[in-house]
Amino acid sequence: MDTITLGDITSAFEVFANKPKADKMAAYLKNKFVCYGIKAPDRRIIQKEFYSELKSFTIEDSIELARSLYNLPQRELHYFAMEIVGRKSKLLNPYHLEFVEFLVLKNSWWDTVDFVATHLFHPILKKLEYDRRKEYVRKLAQHENMWMNRVAIIFQLPLKHETEEELLELAIMPHLTSKEFFHQKAIGWALRQYSKYNPSYVINFLDSHTLANLSVREASKYLP
């Protein structure tokens, strides 16, 4: 990993820093993070400068760089870190679960957690044997950290009609009565997505369980 340094990346981002926009972005993120003030289209232009060299990185080199970026304070660098690994997601395997857990537990907010769940956890968990996958989803669902719970609920979003219903229920059930917005929204989102492919399952689930109003509204959006 000698061709790209953290200094190269941070210098490229700093050129586009915009204090007024940074303040607005930080406010949107509840002032949880420091921002450069770079909007997504401009950020992707900056990142594109590095992708040709990043192609030669191994998955381990990519993770090392991503981890270093994730330990810096600027939110735009966290997005770049995730996307570096996301471009090599097919190379991820169960050995990398510790790293993707790190991405959820550090700098936690919905904008990173949702990407990690659907782009990084998803390809790894699909490589596990079903019984191991089930036990891992149970671990996530019962985790004391709500963002890990959210991962368990939404990681199957890309599976569409191949969603494993047992795992979906395993993730949702511990949080049916949760008052946490991010639990309720995730439950509704997961059910809404699956309703596109199996509406009768979602209708039956809603009829058989008491969910928060937010979850019901979200889950019902595409139902007849």
Side-chain angles (χ1 to χ4, degrees):
M1 201 176 71
D2 299 325
T3 54
I4 298 176
T5 68
L6 282 180
D8 294 331
I9 295 173
T10 56
S11 294
F13 275 74
E14 286 166 2
V15 169
F16 290 85
N18 183 307
K19 183 65 164 59
K21 289 181 180 178
D23 291 342
K24 289 181 180 179
M25 289 176 65
Y28 176 71
L29 297 170
K30 307 297 185 184
N31 292 310
K32 293 178 177 292
F33 307 101
V34 176
C35 299
Y36 284 119
I38 304 172
K39 292 186 176 181
D42 294 328
R43 175 171 58 80
R44 293 194 174 99
I45 292 172
I46 300 169
Q47 293 171 184
K48 190 174 181 180
E49 298 177 17
F50 297 99
Y51 282 140
S52 59
E53 290 184 72
L54 287 169
K55 282 183 181 178
S56 65
F57 277 35
T58 67
I59 185 62
E60 302 304 333
D61 286 342
S62 298
I63 286 174
E64 181 183 347
L65 177 59
R67 192 185 290 271
S68 296
L69 288 169
Y70 222 69
N71 279 318
L72 295 175
Q74 290 84 2
R75 195 57 169 167
E76 292 92 336
L77 298 180
H78 305 160
Y79 300 149
F80 190 23
M82 298 184 312
E83 292 172 20
I84 287 171
V85 180
R87 291 170 75 90
K88 295 181 181 288
S89 62
K90 292 181 180 179
L91 300 177
L92 292 170
N93 62 61
Y95 172 78
H96 300 121
L97 281 171
E98 179 276 330
F99 169 70
V100 293
E101 288 180 3
F102 161 79
L103 293 180
V104 171
L105 295 172
K106 186 174 179 66
N107 304 320
S108 306
W109 199 237
W110 65 267
D111 54 342
T112 52
V113 170
D114 292 357
F115 181 97
V116 174
T118 56
H119 290 75
L120 306 183
F121 269 100
H122 165 249
I124 296 176
L125 295 183
K126 285 301 291 179
K127 292 179 180 178
L128 291 174
E129 293 293 329
Y130 182 76
D131 285 347
R132 286 188 63 199
R133 183 160 64 251
K134 179 179 177 181
E135 285 310 303
Y136 189 79
V137 171
R138 189 192 308 277
K139 168 191 165 182
L140 293 178
Q142 296 177 350
H143 200 283
E144 62 183 9
N145 183 283
M146 73 169 181
W147 298 110
M148 297 289 266
N149 308 152
R150 186 172 169 96
V151 169
I153 296 167
I154 68 171
F155 86 93
Q156 293 196 87
L157 289 175
L159 288 178
K160 301 179 179 180
H161 64 278
E162 296 180 350
T163 295
E164 294 172 320
E165 295 169 1
E166 183 180 20
L167 300 190
L168 182 60
E169 292 186 21
L170 187 65
I172 288 175
M173 293 304 291
H175 310 291
L176 276 183
T177 60
S178 172
K179 299 186 185 308
E180 171 55 56
F181 170 85
F182 289 106
H183 283 152
Q184 295 178 7
K185 190 77 170 180
I187 290 170
W189 186 12
L191 292 172
R192 182 180 77 233
Q193 174 72 356
Y194 192 43
S195 75
K196 298 177 186 177
Y197 310 98
N198 192 343
S200 61
Y201 169 87
V202 176
I203 290 170
N204 182 65
F205 188 91
L206 295 176
D207 287 343
S208 304
H209 301 87
T210 301
L211 284 76
N213 290 336
L214 173 59
S215 298
V216 174
R217 285 199 306 273
E218 291 292 323
S220 303
K221 281 186 177 179
Y222 302 136
L223 293 176

